[in-house]
Amino acid sequence: MKNLKLIIVLVIFASVISSCNDKRKRQLQYMPDMYVSVPYDVDDADGLNNKPVNSKPVAGTIPRGGHPAYDIPDTPDGYEKSKAELKNPLEATEENLENGKAMYTIYCTSCHGKKGDGKGHLAVTEKFLGIPSYADRDINSGTIYHVIMHGKNLMGSHSSQLTYKERWQIAHYVEKLRSDLVK
């Protein structure tokens, strides 16, 4: 018991002495590189270690795991260009159509309806008027992709919600809906 009291007194004495140091000076740091980073001037004329850091990628390149950049402008001429030049790179397989249907149900049904007839919930409740039926429009996969990317009239862009592949899958599914409506 006498030893325990002595140990407690020594621990308290050691903690009091160690806590009474100069608070204005930096104390011991564990892994100081996490607190003080090495400053690099990446926008310097020579870049980082004479290698450019913030340079633009080479024109026409595609990032790893990425997809081609969509550079058709959001203009009437761009819409016509997409109609003439854009082709769906995906095959109309059952898997692509199923995923296109799933994405269409999430993002498009509320306005365009399950059949693509323009009678979705928001159109029926008159929140948005003038939503077209796919049967009334001269569309192809290029124009569908273009409208998903940029939007048209009241419809805004959905490019941030959908991946490259999902946009083309929706284009397949919308073409299927249109062919069913035209029959």
Side-chain angles (χ1 to χ4, degrees):
M1 188 72 171
K2 195 174 191 183
N3 286 340
L4 181 62
K5 287 181 184 180
L6 182 63
I7 291 173
I8 291 174
V9 168
L10 287 176
V11 168
I12 291 173
F13 180 73
S15 63
V16 166
I17 295 231
S18 66
S19 66
C20 294
N21 54 13
D22 189 3
K23 302 287 187 208
R24 293 183 193 149
K25 290 184 181 176
R26 184 176 296 263
Q27 302 301 311
L28 179 67
Q29 287 184 351
Y30 178 72
M31 297 183 73
D33 56 334
M34 294 183 69
Y35 296 101
V36 182
S37 63
V38 179
Y40 293 114
D41 188 8
V42 294
D43 292 323
D44 190 22
D46 296 330
L48 179 62
N49 298 329
N50 295 324
K51 295 177 184 171
V53 176
N54 291 337
S55 60
K56 294 183 179 178
V58 178
T61 60
I62 299 171
R64 184 177 298 161
H67 53 80
Y70 189 73
D71 57 355
I72 298 177
D74 184 17
T75 61
D77 291 336
Y79 183 83
E80 293 303 320
K81 182 178 180 180
S82 69
K83 181 184 267 186
E85 296 178 9
L86 266 177
K87 304 291 181 233
N88 198 329
L90 303 179
E91 293 182 31
T93 62
E94 195 63 37
E95 178 186 346
N96 284 335
L97 283 172
E98 282 300 314
N99 196 44
K101 180 180 181 180
M103 294 296 111
Y104 179 88
T105 302
I106 293 169
Y107 296 105
C108 310
T109 303
S110 59
C111 293
H112 293 282
K114 291 180 181 178
K115 299 176 185 176
D117 54 4
K119 295 182 179 155
H121 175 72
L122 296 176
V124 171
T125 59
E126 297 181 353
K127 299 291 182 188
F128 295 112
L129 298 176
I131 298 172
S133 170
Y134 296 138
D136 300 337
R137 301 286 177 164
D138 182 25
I139 56 175
N140 63 14
S141 61
T143 58
I144 296 165
Y145 189 86
H146 184 78
V147 170
I148 291 172
M149 286 299 292
H150 292 298
K152 187 171 175 96
N153 299 331
L154 285 176
M155 179 180 158
S157 170
H158 284 70
S159 62
S160 63
Q161 290 99 337
L162 299 164
T163 65
Y164 174 76
K165 187 175 180 182
E166 289 169 344
R167 290 180 217 134
W168 284 115
Q169 290 170 336
I170 287 176
H172 272 310
Y173 186 69
V174 169
E175 286 183 309
K176 180 184 176 299
L177 289 177
R178 184 177 188 278
S179 67
D180 292 345
L181 286 171
V182 172
K183 286 181 186 176

